[in-house]
């Protein structure tokens, strides 16, 4: 190693030993990733626009609004329009806080990696473990809820075709859901080389649907559009909650819809120029949904039946199908709902890609059950985590069985994504400003010393509020078993199970993210740089001799068996 130091120019030493395979990406991105302790294993084939595209595609603006109208319509136009605007504003603030972190430390497992890096020595392992599981299951919950929404939209087209004279069974709903999930698994496995390019196509499809709706609804209701006063000031309350709280529950629609911006983080190791692509992808996706979503809900409120009970009680099973039907008739509804479920299908494909990357990152660090099985990257299928793709598919298929129980149980799948992801987003932000602010080194994107901390605290308060909001029964207090919101049960099981697993067993072996770069090829300068980042490489000591105390107590090591099996053909 000493001979390397003497013969290698210092400015280029890092790039030489951490450079990615030419097929995977450039040296600069590989060097940034190496500072976090990881070697480049995934192909960087996502541009900034494509990173934005995967988040925007998962958000699937209009299909998501359609899937969550049951949250917003009970509060009337005010809940739909101003609930969207205000909630989106706070979500953008959360995005700013995450963009600070994503620019500074772009890695696929960013949320739990950041938590471990910034948290105190006593809390970093359990919190990192909890965040990893909450985020992983939250993303899979998002996949389930999106594909469940696809199933309902697909079947609603059949119901419209039969003029509301056919009602799908729970079995039919699950059958379509299962077929959708399996198709996503096949496509995510076989289209890896063009997945980045496909995000641009998905974005275009989203905008075609948005424009078609913005044009079709006002034309169809030309003689019977609602007034501006109705759109912006009319308040309804179809719940038994106070009117003010019904308005707050309407926020669940934008909270669920604009809930995929962390997918930009999970694609960090497949993004070119990740320190800029990740933060701008986050903010562009949230900002686009904020703006175009606001326009859409105004158009919908301006064209919908003022007797909103008719919309919620539609024989078609989908409020949006009834809104289309009232405006453009049967044939127009069939066309627009078909386009709607196609875009919803594309949403599911994109979120499966993001969920598989988070699952792979977590298995890379040995935290998931059967991590050694899920850890390998498939070279044959284009340097992708093939096994975690299908692991997410299988888990989604099991979670989807809740749809066979009752609509209330299936509805909890929507809130599972909200509560699980909110905890995963808020914990690293909290850890940074409470324990790790002095360790934070901004990246190219930074909100500034004066604004960064207030933004982070605002984000934390909103995320905690969102968790509690997602657990309230939508219809009102004193729910029956059929109207109960089971999110509190599901998420308590997820969080309680993760912590129980940690304290019973995982605490014996889980020490946080692991080093995966080849430490035998590191120069002394590179070893020191890794120690300065708060990492400890097994068998190495920092050059200044300060040992483990200088490295912030974070031990990450890589076993030989993992080196040998990281890529499979």
């Amino acid at each position: 190693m000493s001979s390397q130091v003497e013969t290698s120019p210092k400015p280029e030493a890092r790039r030489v030993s951490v450079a990615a395979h030419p097929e995977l990406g450039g040296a600069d991105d590989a060097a940034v990733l190496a500072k976090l302790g990881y070697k480049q294993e995934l192909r960087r084939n996502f541009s900034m626009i494509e990173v934005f595209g995967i988040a925007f595609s998962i958000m699937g603006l209009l299909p998501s609004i359609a899937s969550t109208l049951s949250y917003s319509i009970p509060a009337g136009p005010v809940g739909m329009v101003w609930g969207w605007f205000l909630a989106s504003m706070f979500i953008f603030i959360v995005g700013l806080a995450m963009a600070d972190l994503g620019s500074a430390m772009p890695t696929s497992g960013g949320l739990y990696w950041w938590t471990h890096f910034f948290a105190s020595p006593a809390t970093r392992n359990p919190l990192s473990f909890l965040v990893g599981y909450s985020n992983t299951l939250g993303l899979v919950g998002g996949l389930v809820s999106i594909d469940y929404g696809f199933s309902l939209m697909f079947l609603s087209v059949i119901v419209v075709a039969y003029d509301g004279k056919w009602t799908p069974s729970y079995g039919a709903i699950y059958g379509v859901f299962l077929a959708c999930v399996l198709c996503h698994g096949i496509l995510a496995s076989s289209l890896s080389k063009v997945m980045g390019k496909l995000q641009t196509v998905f974005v275009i499809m989203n905008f075609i649907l948005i424009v078609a709706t913005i044009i079709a609804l006002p034309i169809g209701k030309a003689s019977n559009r609602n007034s501006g006063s109705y759109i912006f000031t009319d308040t309804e309350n179809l719940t038994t909650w106070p009117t003010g709280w019904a308005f707050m529950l309407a926020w669940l629609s934008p909270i669920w819809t604009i809930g995929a911006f962390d997918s930009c983080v999970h694609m960090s190791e497949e993004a070119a120029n990740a320190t800029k692509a990740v933060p701008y992808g986050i903010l562009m996706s949230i900002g686009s949904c904020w703006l175009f979503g606001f326009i859409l809900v105004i158009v919908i409120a301006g064209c919908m039946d003022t007797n909103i009970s008719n919309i919620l009680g539609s024989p078609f099973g989908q409020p949006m199908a009834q809104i289309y039907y009232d405006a453009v008739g049967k044939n127009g509804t069939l066309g627009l709902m078909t386009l709607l479920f196609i875009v919803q299908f594309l949403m599911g494909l994109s979120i499966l890609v993001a969920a598989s990357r988070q699952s792979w990152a977590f298995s890379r660090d040995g935290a998931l059950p059967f991590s050694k099985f899920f850890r390998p990257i498939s070279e044959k299928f284009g340097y992708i985590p093939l096994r975690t793709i299908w692991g997410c598919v299988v888990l989604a298929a099991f979670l989807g069985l809740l749809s066979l129980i009752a609509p209330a149980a299936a509805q909890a799948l929507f809130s599972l994504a909200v509560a699980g992801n909110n905890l995963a987003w808020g914990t690293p932000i909290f850890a940074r400003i409470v324990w790790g602010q002095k360790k934070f080194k901004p990246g190219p994107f930074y909100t500034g010393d004066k604004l960064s901390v207030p933004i982070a605290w605002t984000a934390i308060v909103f995320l905690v509020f969102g968790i509690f909001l997602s657990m309230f029964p939508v219809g009102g207090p004193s729910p029956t078993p059929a109207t109960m919101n089971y999110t509190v049960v599901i998420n308590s099981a997820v969080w309680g199970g993760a912590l129980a697993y940690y304290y019973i067993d995982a605490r014996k072996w889980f020490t946080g993210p692991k080093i995966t770069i080849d430490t035998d090829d590191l120069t002394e300068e590179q070893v020191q740089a890794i120690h300065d980042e708060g990492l400890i490489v097994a068998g190495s000591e920092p050059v200044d001799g300060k040992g483990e105390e200088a490295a912030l107590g974070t031990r990450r090591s890589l076993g030989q068996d993992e080196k040998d099996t990281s890529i499979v053909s």
Side-chain angles (χ1 to χ4, degrees):
M1 182 176 291
S2 61
S3 61
Q4 270 188 305
V5 175
E6 294 171 2
T7 59
S8 301
K10 289 183 179 180
E12 298 181 2
R14 179 176 296 279
R15 291 191 183 184
V16 169
S17 63
V18 299
H21 188 284
E23 290 188 25
L24 300 183
D28 289 339
D29 281 315
V32 170
L33 188 59
K35 288 179 65 178
L36 306 180
Y38 296 129
K39 64 181 178 181
Q40 185 67 49
E41 298 181 69
L42 303 175
R43 180 182 281 120
R44 291 189 181 270
N45 52 7
F46 281 74
S47 67
M48 182 187 296
I49 295 299
E50 290 161 354
V51 171
F52 151 76
I54 195 166
F56 189 76
S57 298
I58 295 172
M59 292 172 184
L61 187 55
L62 186 52
S64 294
I65 290 174
S67 296
T68 55
L69 281 175
S70 58
Y71 292 118
S72 58
I73 281 185
V78 164
M80 292 176 62
V81 173
W82 296 116
W84 183 276
F85 184 86
L86 292 174
S88 299
M89 177 183 69
F90 283 107
I91 295 168
F92 191 82
I93 292 173
V94 175
L96 286 170
M98 188 176 292
D100 277 347
L101 293 171
S103 180
M105 294 170 285
T107 174
S108 295
L111 299 175
Y112 73 86
W113 197 101
W114 302 334
T115 300
H116 196 276
F117 182 76
F118 289 119
S120 67
T123 61
R124 59 167 53 110
N125 285 346
L127 284 181
S128 175
F129 198 78
L130 174 63
V131 166
Y133 271 94
S134 186
N135 190 213
T136 300
L137 291 173
L139 285 167
V140 176
L143 169 64
V144 174
S145 58
I146 287 172
D147 285 2
Y148 179 75
F150 165 84
S151 178
L152 294 179
M153 289 181 188
F154 178 86
L155 292 169
S156 74
V157 172
I158 300 176
V159 176
V160 171
Y162 281 92
D163 298 312
K165 297 177 182 178
W166 176 76
T167 302
S169 65
Y170 291 159
I173 293 172
Y174 180 76
V176 174
F177 161 83
L178 183 61
C180 179
V181 172
L182 292 175
C183 285
H184 285 151
I186 293 170
L187 293 175
S189 302
S190 58
L191 299 178
S192 62
K193 294 183 179 179
V194 294
M195 190 59 68
K197 305 299 180 186
L198 284 176
Q199 301 312 311
T200 302
V201 176
F202 295 173
V203 170
I204 293 172
M205 289 289 291
N206 269 277
F207 278 110
I208 289 174
L209 178 59
I210 290 169
V211 171
T213 298
I214 290 174
I215 293 174
L217 286 183
I219 291 177
K221 298 282 286 188
S223 61
N224 192 27
R225 288 197 292 262
N226 300 322
S227 67
S229 175
Y230 176 80
I231 295 170
F232 295 106
T233 65
D234 187 77
T235 300
E236 303 279 353
N237 186 4
L238 295 189
T239 75
T240 55
W241 291 110
T243 300
W245 191 244
F247 173 77
M248 300 310 302
L249 288 170
W251 289 30
L252 285 172
S253 176
I255 287 173
W256 186 82
T257 299
I258 316 177
F261 51 87
D262 66 314
S263 58
C264 299
V265 176
H266 304 309
M267 302 309 295
S268 294
E269 295 177 38
E270 294 173 78
N273 196 12
T275 56
K276 292 184 178 179
V278 171
Y280 287 111
I282 290 171
L283 298 178
M284 288 163 59
S285 59
I286 297 174
S288 298
C289 282
W290 184 3
L291 172 61
F292 292 106
F294 188 56
I295 295 171
L296 275 171
V297 292
I298 289 173
V299 171
I300 292 171
C303 299
M304 69 183 187
D305 188 347
T306 55
N307 187 344
I308 57 179
S309 295
N310 293 340
I311 301 173
L312 290 175
S314 170
F316 304 138
Q318 280 285 295
M320 196 68 209
Q322 187 65 53
I323 292 170
Y324 280 144
Y325 192 89
D326 292 340
V328 297
K330 180 178 178 179
N331 291 334
T333 300
L334 290 174
L336 288 170
M337 286 300 295
T338 298
L339 186 56
L340 197 69
F341 76 64
I342 290 173
V343 174
Q344 182 95 354
F345 180 87
L346 302 179
M347 290 167 58
L349 177 57
S350 294
I351 198 172
L352 175 58
V353 172
S356 67
R357 272 48 173 185
Q358 158 61 21
S359 303
W360 170 76
F362 210 34
S363 67
R364 174 175 60 183
D365 294 320
L368 285 181
F370 312 108
S371 285
K372 289 185 179 180
F373 172 80
F374 287 115
R375 166 73 176 82
I377 293 295
S378 173
E379 184 176 359
K380 179 187 295 184
F381 284 85
Y383 294 95
I384 61 170
L386 182 69
R387 296 180 182 181
T388 56
I389 289 174
W390 285 97
C392 290
V393 167
V394 171
L395 180 57
F398 278 107
L399 286 175
L401 291 171
L402 286 171
S403 65
L404 295 174
I405 300 174
Q411 199 73 19
L413 296 171
F414 286 80
S415 298
L416 168 65
V418 171
N421 284 326
N422 275 22
L423 182 137
W425 301 338
T427 304
I429 298 172
F430 178 83
R432 175 206 147 188
I433 58 178
V434 172
W435 294 302
Q437 185 63 17
K438 292 182 179 179
K439 290 191 285 183
F440 177 67
K441 298 179 181 179
F445 176 91
Y446 183 43
T447 52
D449 292 336
K450 292 183 178 180
L451 294 177
S452 182
V453 172
I455 285 172
W457 276 118
T458 305
I460 291 167
V461 171
F462 175 73
L463 291 171
V464 171
F465 172 73
I467 291 174
F468 284 105
L469 189 67
S470 70
M471 295 183 178
F472 273 79
V474 176
S478 303
T480 66
T483 60
M484 171 66 180
N485 185 343
Y486 291 94
T487 305
V488 64
V489 178
I490 294 175
N491 277 91
S492 294
V494 170
W495 298 333
L499 289 175
Y501 179 31
Y502 174 80
Y503 284 108
I504 292 172
D505 181 56
R507 64 182 176 81
K508 302 172 186 176
W509 46 264
F510 180 74
T511 56
K514 296 179 179 179
I515 288 286
T516 64
I517 52 178
D518 190 349
T519 57
D520 291 337
D521 291 338
L522 294 179
T523 65
E524 290 182 4
E525 289 89 345
Q526 290 164 345
V527 170
Q528 182 61 46
I530 289 174
H531 279 286
D532 290 343
E533 293 296 325
L535 305 171
I536 290 181
V537 183
S540 74
E541 293 293 335
V543 177
D544 61 12
K546 293 181 181 179
E548 296 192 7
E549 293 181 2
L552 305 172
T554 307
R555 178 167 299 281
R556 300 155 194 188
S557 60
L558 176 66
Q560 187 63 40
D561 56 337
E562 289 176 282
K563 286 183 181 178
D564 295 339
T565 60
S566 61
I567 296 181
V568 294
S569 61

